[in-house]
Amino acid sequence: MLSGPSGVGKGTVRQAMMKDHHHQDLQYSVSMTTRPKRPGEVDGVDYYFRTKEEFEHEIKNGGMLEYAQYVDHYYGTPLKYVNQTLDAGKDVLLEIEVNGAMQVRSKCPDGVFIFLTPPDLQELRQRIINRGTDDMATIDKRMQKAAEEIKMMTNYDYAVVNDKVELAVDRIEKIIASEHLRVSRVIDQYTSFN
Ligand code: 5GP
């Protein structure tokens, strides 16, 4: 599960990951949304574009793993595809905003939660102080936003800096590879003959 603050480049990193041919066992879960289609977007590929009524119908029928309202529109993860993919023994990649991520966290404790961070979050405080050019109001605003983002990060398993898309993808691939080796995930293969 890939999440993070808006504007950090989640979509770009996700697209780069899915282009990579190593990922035959990683399937991207196409989200459902009520926001209008942007030029070049394809229904069923980028999103399932639905009306508000259709989306609310899905919610009522229990068809969503999670959903959130983001800038006046619904966004959500259809449950069916996620279940089918997991049942087939494959990994599912969700790329969603933070409120949805927290819903998935409580429903799927087994999931791996990756927080994508902007490259300057770590050193933001020092840079702002050193630079000494921003007025107090700007410093306060930036620091407050950074503090909120860092607080959010504590709900995740991994923090990946998106300094360069290829580097971020590489870090995420390593996380996925390591997670597959967790004793809790492989123990059955060693003990099932008993
Ligand atoms: P955009 O409109 O730019 O495609 O997406 C806006 C935001 O919605 C992004 O932060 C994106 O990660 C998030 N988003 C996309 N799909 C989902 C989803 O299925 N559930 C949730 N909660 N957020 C989503």
Side-chain angles (χ1 to χ4, degrees), residues 13 50 92 113-114 121 134 138 149 153 160 181-182:
V13 169
R50 297 290 182 266
V92 190
F113 295 81
I114 302 171
L121 195 58
D134 289 336
T138 310
E149 288 175 2
M153 193 197 291
V160 166
L181 304 180
R182 267 189 190 278

Side-chain angles (χ1 to χ4, degrees), residues 6 10 31-32 35 38 41 47 66-68 70 75-77 95-97 100-101:
S6 65
K10 296 187 287 289
S31 295
M32 193 176 282
R35 85 144 160 74
R38 293 179 190 141
E41 285 185 332
Y47 281 104
E66 61 74 34
Y67 69 93
Y70 180 87
Y75 291 82
T77 305
E95 179 250 298
I96 63 182
E97 53 72 66

Side-chain angles (χ1 to χ4, degrees), residues 79-104:
L79 185 58
K80 201 167 147 195
Y81 181 78
V82 171
N83 283 341
Q84 278 172 358
T85 311
L86 293 177
D87 287 349
K90 294 182 177 180
D91 295 328
V92 190
L93 177 69
L94 306 185
E95 179 250 298
I96 63 182
E97 53 72 66
V98 291
N99 295 309
M102 290 307 99
Q103 297 169 43
V104 181

Side-chain angles (χ1 to χ4, degrees), residues 92-181:
V92 190
L93 177 69
L94 306 185
E95 179 250 298
I96 63 182
E97 53 72 66
V98 291
N99 295 309
M102 290 307 99
Q103 297 169 43
V104 181
R105 172 116 247 186
S106 61
K107 287 188 185 168
C108 311
D110 241 20
V112 179
F113 295 81
I114 302 171
F115 190 82
L116 198 63
T117 78
D120 53 358
L121 195 58
Q122 267 172 335
E123 77 242 30
L124 186 65
R125 176 187 293 268
Q126 209 46 52
R127 268 213 344 233
I128 290 174
I129 295 167
N130 288 349
R131 197 165 49 182
T133 52
D134 289 336
D135 61 56
M136 275 317 282
T138 310
I139 291 179
D140 275 359
K141 237 184 172 167
R142 279 168 183 259
M143 294 303 294
Q144 201 184 331
K145 186 158 185 277
E148 279 164 20
E149 288 175 2
I150 289 164
K151 205 167 143 201
M152 256 189 259
M153 193 197 291
T154 61
N155 295 314
Y156 290 76
D157 302 310
Y158 296 93
V160 166
V161 179
N162 188 19
D163 46 359
K164 257 189 155 199
V165 174
E166 315 85 83
L167 294 179
V169 168
D170 189 46
R171 291 172 189 127
I172 293 168
E173 284 172 349
K174 286 179 175 138
I175 293 168
I176 294 173
S178 308
E179 283 290 331
H180 276 290
L181 304 180

